[in-house]
Amino acid sequence: RGYEFHLTEGRLVFRTPYGQPDSFSAQSLALDGLYEFYVFNLYVEQILLEGDQVDARLRVFRTLVTPLLPRPLFCENGTLLAERMFLAYLGDVPEDVVLVSVGLNGQEFPLQAQTLTGFTVTEVAHANNTRGYTLKVPFDHPVVQQQQDRAMQYVLMIQFTLHVLPEERPVYHQTSVTVLLDASPPAINASCSDSGMRFTLEHRPSEHPWQITIGSELLTSELAARHGYVLSNHSQRLQLDVPLFTAGYEYKNVSLKGFAGTFEVHLQDPKSAEVHSWVQTCPFSLSQYIFCSRTGVMTVVADLSPMVQSGLDPARTSLLSKDCRPTESDGTRVLYSFPLNSCGNT
């Protein structure tokens, strides 16, 4: 148990750690702060021997009280940004001290009056006979102070009011928590590959629940599956892979040497309707392909190498309609560009 006994120069020295449940009784006291003292009931018996016989017994019983010791409480800030929730934990509260009310930005909320509307206070018991209290307050609670400039600022000043039992003398513990949330839109990083484009958005705590749209449609897993996009979204980032020739591309500078593909994504704040756009343009070079533009023009690049070996001149080829000739050709390939309702198309 940690007890120590020493006999030194006719003196008996006894040491015991604070907090031994069978030797000390801890009590709290409210003065200009929270203090505690320990009460120790000491019983000593001294036996005097005469030979082998007990000649006398001396019994001493004393109650010892320690000096007042400061008993600081501690408060931890565990605010949950992803949940938009203030979380403050008040800990190391002695067992004879109880929380009776919470003050939030100057408004008092007694615990016994069941006035905790929109936030919670939870008691946590510990094995060392102390307790703690967990306070949770949403950012959007009316009592929270809000101020917006370039960032949204949330301020919560907290006062815990505790009573020392049994006298119910009050003790106060104060703290404050300030949270800054960026109101600007997050950046979207775009990159090119041989097969398409990739858009990446790193998630971060933000005041605005920004939404990604493709054209006028909200980006969802259903939209991605319908258009052939590959979408992955988890707690750290959102990643969108847009294969070439899927819906949403715009094609420019088309020739046998290649073309430029452009894809646009938007970030929209559903509350304010504020929109920010990201446009990515990538060069592509393929031996053959076919696509339709937004203006209803079909482009076809075909590799005629096997037929060229038989003596075919690519420049003299045509589509179903003999009037539809290549707009560009080289030694093995041809490029056709024509409206959808022409050249024999139906």
Side-chain angles (χ1 to χ4, degrees):
R1 297 179 181 272
Y3 299 145
E4 295 181 10
F5 294 90
H6 300 283
L7 186 60
T8 305
E9 297 179 355
R11 294 187 305 165
L12 177 64
V13 179
F14 170 63
R15 298 177 183 272
T16 180
Y18 282 130
Q20 286 288 358
D22 56 352
S23 60
F24 278 92
S25 173
Q27 299 183 32
S28 301
L29 183 65
L31 296 174
D32 55 343
L34 183 62
Y35 293 83
E36 66 180 359
F37 61 93
Y38 292 88
V39 178
F40 177 61
N41 295 317
L42 176 66
Y43 172 79
V44 177
E45 181 178 278
Q46 184 178 11
I47 300 176
L48 302 178
L49 299 176
E50 182 69 31
D52 294 335
Q53 302 296 320
V54 176
D55 184 57
R57 293 177 183 269
L58 176 62
R59 295 184 176 93
V60 178
F61 179 84
R62 293 186 61 183
T63 298
L64 304 179
V65 180
T66 66
L68 290 179
L69 303 172
R71 180 61 185 264
L73 306 179
F74 73 90
C75 193
E76 291 182 346
N77 175 20
T79 295
L80 307 171
L81 295 179
E83 300 179 19
R84 297 174 56 82
M85 181 79 67
F86 286 105
L87 190 154
Y89 175 76
L90 180 68
D92 204 20
V93 180
E95 60 180 341
D96 60 346
V97 178
V98 295
L99 181 67
V100 295
S101 68
V102 176
L104 303 177
N105 287 336
Q107 298 186 37
E108 199 69 21
F109 298 91
L111 269 61
Q112 299 300 326
Q114 298 182 349
T115 57
L116 307 186
T117 303
F119 66 94
T120 62
V121 177
T122 305
E123 181 177 336
V124 182
H126 298 287
N128 62 351
N129 295 325
T130 65
R131 73 183 92 205
Y133 296 92
T134 301
L135 169 68
K136 288 185 176 182
V137 182
F139 289 176
D140 298 326
H141 194 281
V143 77
V144 177
Q145 295 179 2
Q146 302 182 18
Q147 182 177 356
Q148 184 172 4
D149 189 7
R150 293 185 177 180
M152 178 64 79
Q153 176 177 272
Y154 297 91
V155 179
L156 185 65
M157 293 180 288
I158 307 169
Q159 176 173 280
F160 295 99
T161 301
L162 306 104
H163 279 178
V164 177
L165 303 178
E167 294 85 0
E168 297 187 354
R169 297 191 63 176
V171 175
Y172 306 98
H173 186 89
Q174 297 176 338
T175 188
S176 64
V177 183
T178 300
V179 175
L180 289 175
L181 292 183
D182 194 349
S184 63
I188 293 180
N189 298 316
S191 59
C192 304
S193 69
D194 293 339
S195 59
M197 302 181 187
R198 170 171 291 179
F199 296 88
T200 304
L201 183 147
E202 301 292 336
H203 291 308
R204 58 174 172 77
S206 174
E207 167 57 22
H208 296 273
W210 296 96
Q211 297 176 337
I212 297 181
T213 60
I214 308 296
S216 60
E217 295 184 277
L218 179 65
L219 177 61
T220 62
S221 56
E222 292 78 11
L223 176 70
R226 187 168 72 248
H227 289 329
Y229 308 148
V230 180
L231 175 65
S232 63
N233 190 11
H234 51 78
S235 60
Q236 294 183 336
R237 69 176 58 87
L238 178 146
Q239 181 174 293
L240 175 67
D241 290 312
V242 185
L244 187 59
F245 304 129
T246 53
Y249 271 97
E250 183 178 355
Y251 308 100
K252 298 179 180 179
N253 304 324
V254 180
S255 70
L256 287 176
K257 295 181 180 180
F259 60 91
T262 299
F263 196 89
E264 186 173 4
V265 299
H266 309 281
L267 276 179
Q268 179 174 320
D269 179 3
K271 293 183 179 180
S272 65
E274 179 182 354
V275 177
H276 296 263
S277 300
W278 273 262
V279 179
Q280 178 70 8
T281 299
C282 298
F284 297 98
S285 180
L286 303 175
S287 60
Q288 55 184 1
Y289 53 85
I290 180 172
F291 63 77
C292 296
S293 71
R294 296 178 181 178
T295 58
V297 175
M298 178 173 287
T299 299
V300 178
V301 172
D303 187 351
L304 305 180
S305 297
M307 289 176 283
V308 170
Q309 295 176 1
S310 302
L312 177 69
D313 182 4
R316 299 176 63 85
T317 60
S318 67
L319 299 178
L320 292 178
S321 174
K322 300 300 183 181
D323 295 332
C324 291
R325 297 287 184 176
T327 57
E328 187 179 352
S329 65
D330 57 18
T332 58
R333 297 187 304 154
V334 292
L335 184 151
Y336 291 92
S337 182
F338 52 90
L340 290 177
N341 58 356
S342 65
C343 294
N345 285 324
T346 57

